[in-house]
Amino acid sequence: MRIGLLLLAAAISGHLIMLSNGLVTSRLLHSVSANGSYLTAEEHWFNQTLDHFSPLDHRKFEQRYYEFLDYFRLPDGPVFLKICGEASCNGIPNDYIQVLAKKFGAAVVSLEHRYYGKSSPFKILTTKNLQFLSSKQALFDLAACRQFYQDSLNLKHNRLNAQNPWFTFGISYSGALSAWFRLKFPHLTCGSLASSAVVEAVYNFTDFDRQIGISAGEECKAALKEINQLVEKKFSTNETELKAMFDASQLQIAGDFLYLLADAAATAFQYGNPDALCSPIVEAKNAGHDLLDAYATYVKDYYIGSFGAKVESYDQSSLKDPSNTDRLWWFQVCTEVAYFQVAPSNDSLRSSKLDARYHLDLCKNVFGEGIYPDVDATNLYYGGKNIAGSKIVFANGSQDPWQGATKQSSSPNIPSYTVTCHNCGHGVDMRGCPQIPLNLEGNAQNCSSPEAVNKTRQHIIDNIDLWLSQCEGKGRKSE
């Protein structure tokens, strides 16, 4: 999900919205018990190690997890580890994981990411207190949770040293965690599904906007380019009036306001609802109406209105507040993965003011001196798109602007599939179309090509079936 919305995707376990910066900075958490959006929302807890890399620090914190056992084939069925990402994890979402769990007789376990939701080691999120927030720590959390849960299963069913076959699942950032978990802990899982998995840390992510242009098509792209030009012109002549048009007068820093406008457009393509944006602005352009006014209406009515984005989540003065949980994903952005969505040198759909300097200044302003993303170290540690793991299946939506940070080439042990359709966005293989609001069981009927989604899902099923059987063939010991 400012990083463009990777965030939104982050979680959708409660219709999470992750916007600025990409994976998830603002959240839309709906109540879900009655409508079946969650398979379960019953909380469980266990004591997690704060720092997995220090032999001297033995502090613990309580981490939240969930379990869904309705389809579990006792006692030796598979366990599906559904990884939560950069947002509050309020339960196990009823997406395509439900269908898969029923098919394979699997238990589903889901662990909330450290610091997010109720799993924070600290009440005050100062930069110093955020030092233990990283993907590396999160992977060890998953390993510890997996071992804890396996031991509890064995105790419950009076077994000694038994190992159920485990399989990991994740979407977006949690999709990357799913792939990285298989890479770093291959003995703890039989395989992984990495849906729209952003495994490549990217400093200047110009491919994000290039994909939006491709996904938009010529007419919509032309309208978006003209809107960008109108915004830049209006900004230079009457910034106050322009911000008021979008109900965003509180955003004092130019880049914060311009990022809001860029994210608003990206959301439509990322989450599988391109017509919500393109139809009104193309109609306005063809009719000779005020394009800027049409875009302002879209931002206020759709992005802020029905989608649920919040203007204040773009405000750096708010992000500096150590009680603001929107800081969390920004900290990971500013230390590990960047995903700086910057304007390409030409053919841009966003303001030229949104460059790397804007992002670096934000990191410094919000977190202090010396905070910047070491993307080379991140890609060195995980391999980026050249990830050298095995038994990882990657899936992407053809309209998703995050494709440039995912793995799209296949190899025998790491197959990759792209679901191609008009509204196939982020996590389409697990969520269906559109991705927000949540479609129960990941229903694909609203996708412009349900058969394309179902074809990829069959590939996923085949891989899960094969890799689980290989695990079970080795005495139910994961390899």
Side-chain angles (χ1 to χ4, degrees):
M1 59 196 91
R2 275 196 159 106
I3 282 187
L5 287 175
L6 209 179
L7 297 189
L8 237 193
I12 288 190
S13 33
H15 305 322
L16 145 106
I17 300 184
M18 172 189 85
L19 313 172
S20 56
N21 244 46
L23 290 179
V24 189
T25 58
S26 78
R27 295 156 185 75
L28 183 62
L29 301 174
H30 295 295
S31 156
V32 291
S33 51
N35 63 11
S37 293
Y38 289 147
L39 297 177
T40 180
E42 181 180 351
E43 298 173 344
H44 301 274
W45 301 87
F46 81 107
N47 287 329
Q48 183 62 270
T49 299
L50 176 63
D51 186 359
H52 295 285
F53 300 96
S54 172
L56 305 178
D57 189 343
H58 302 293
R59 286 177 291 175
K60 302 280 187 177
F61 69 97
E62 284 195 319
Q63 194 164 20
R64 180 167 61 164
Y65 74 96
Y66 304 88
E67 63 175 359
F68 179 73
L69 304 175
D70 286 20
Y71 305 131
F72 188 34
R73 188 181 69 242
L74 293 171
D76 54 4
V79 181
F80 289 170
L81 180 56
K82 173 86 169 180
I83 301 173
C84 293
E86 67 285 15
S88 179
C89 187
N90 299 323
I92 300 176
N94 183 7
D95 57 14
Y96 194 61
I97 194 79
Q98 196 256 77
V99 177
L100 294 174
K102 187 174 184 179
K103 178 176 181 62
F104 288 98
V108 184
V109 177
S110 190
L111 180 70
E112 184 169 60
H113 196 294
R114 59 169 52 208
Y115 283 84
Y116 294 93
K118 295 183 179 180
S119 297
S120 183
F122 304 99
K123 293 181 179 179
I124 304 300
L125 305 174
T126 61
T127 299
K128 180 180 179 181
N129 284 347
L130 293 177
Q131 64 180 297
F132 306 106
L133 173 57
S134 71
S135 61
K136 299 178 184 68
Q137 296 280 8
L139 290 175
F140 267 93
D141 287 348
L142 291 166
C145 178
R146 186 258 190 228
Q147 293 300 84
F148 161 81
Y149 195 82
Q150 182 65 68
D151 290 344
S152 69
L153 275 181
N154 290 344
L155 183 63
K156 181 187 295 185
H157 298 290
N158 196 28
R159 300 187 303 170
L160 183 64
N161 297 324
Q163 290 291 321
N164 293 72
W166 285 69
F167 203 97
T168 61
F169 296 79
I171 304 171
S172 194
Y173 165 58
S174 66
L177 291 175
S178 181
W180 294 338
F181 188 77
R182 172 65 191 171
L183 173 71
K184 297 299 184 180
F185 296 96
H187 57 296
L188 297 182
T189 177
C190 303
S192 78
L193 171 65
S195 174
S196 296
V198 287
V199 292
E200 175 97 348
V202 185
Y203 188 73
N204 285 321
F205 196 9
T206 53
D207 282 347
F208 188 86
D209 273 20
R210 289 196 183 98
Q211 181 58 53
I212 290 175
I214 294 170
S215 300
E218 289 305 317
E219 274 195 307
C220 187
K221 180 182 177 182
L224 287 170
K225 288 177 64 177
E226 186 172 339
I227 288 168
N228 182 50
Q229 293 164 1
L230 291 169
V231 166
E232 298 222 297
K233 181 179 179 180
K234 184 79 170 179
F235 195 90
S236 64
T237 59
N238 197 331
E239 176 182 339
T240 301
E241 183 179 333
L242 178 64
K243 290 179 179 178
M245 286 182 66
F246 291 87
D247 293 342
S249 298
Q250 72 184 76
L251 300 178
Q252 298 301 306
I253 297 175
D256 295 350
F257 169 71
L258 296 169
Y259 222 124
L260 164 67
L261 269 55
D263 264 1
T267 301
F269 302 102
Q270 178 167 332
Y271 294 106
N273 202 357
D275 294 339
L277 168 66
C278 290
S279 293
I281 63 173
V282 169
E283 288 174 10
K285 180 176 172 62
N286 291 340
H289 295 158
D290 188 330
L291 257 183
L292 198 54
D293 184 62
Y295 189 61
T297 298
Y298 160 80
V299 172
K300 291 184 291 186
D301 290 354
Y302 178 78
Y303 187 56
I304 296 173
S306 61
F307 191 74
K310 298 184 183 301
V311 173
E312 55 265 30
S313 69
Y314 292 84
D315 188 350
Q316 288 185 44
S317 63
S318 175
L319 291 172
K320 293 174 71 172
D321 181 353
S323 67
N324 186 351
T325 56
D326 286 345
R327 289 167 57 81
L328 296 173
W329 176 247
W330 270 116
F331 183 78
Q332 293 192 254
V333 164
C334 290
T335 55
E336 287 192 280
V337 291
Y339 301 131
F340 290 165
Q341 293 160 19
V342 301
S345 57
N346 53 59
D347 210 25
S348 180
L349 303 179
R350 69 179 62 215
S351 171
S352 58
K353 293 181 174 63
L354 297 175
D355 55 12
R357 175 49 53 192
Y358 163 74
H359 292 275
L360 291 172
D361 286 346
L362 181 149
C363 293
K364 178 181 176 182
N365 184 34
V366 173
F367 299 108
E369 293 282 353
I371 299 296
Y372 61 90
D374 192 346
V375 297
D376 289 340
T378 300
N379 290 329
L380 182 64
Y381 187 73
Y382 294 121
K385 295 179 185 178
N386 295 316
I387 183 170
S390 65
K391 298 182 179 178
I392 306 167
V393 56
F394 286 85
N396 294 288
S398 61
Q399 304 296 293
D400 185 9
W402 286 98
Q403 291 178 73
T406 67
K407 181 176 175 59
Q408 295 175 282
S409 60
S410 286
S411 59
N413 282 322
I414 310 182
S416 180
Y417 308 99
T418 298
V419 187
T420 302
C421 72
H422 173 66
N423 56 348
C424 284
H426 211 56
V428 63
D429 51 304
M430 292 300 291
R431 295 172 178 160
C433 302
Q435 284 71 56
I436 294 176
L438 178 75
N439 288 309
L440 299 185
E441 300 181 19
N443 192 316
Q445 290 309 302
N446 288 328
C447 297
S448 67
S449 179
E451 61 273 14
V453 180
N454 292 331
K455 182 178 179 180
T456 293
R457 287 177 170 176
Q458 187 58 54
H459 287 309
I460 290 170
I461 288 171
D462 291 345
N463 282 294
I464 294 173
D465 195 24
L466 173 63
W467 297 339
L468 286 179
S469 69
Q470 291 173 342
C471 258
E472 292 169 351
K474 295 187 175 182
R476 298 195 183 280
K477 300 282 186 182
S478 31
E479 54 181 357

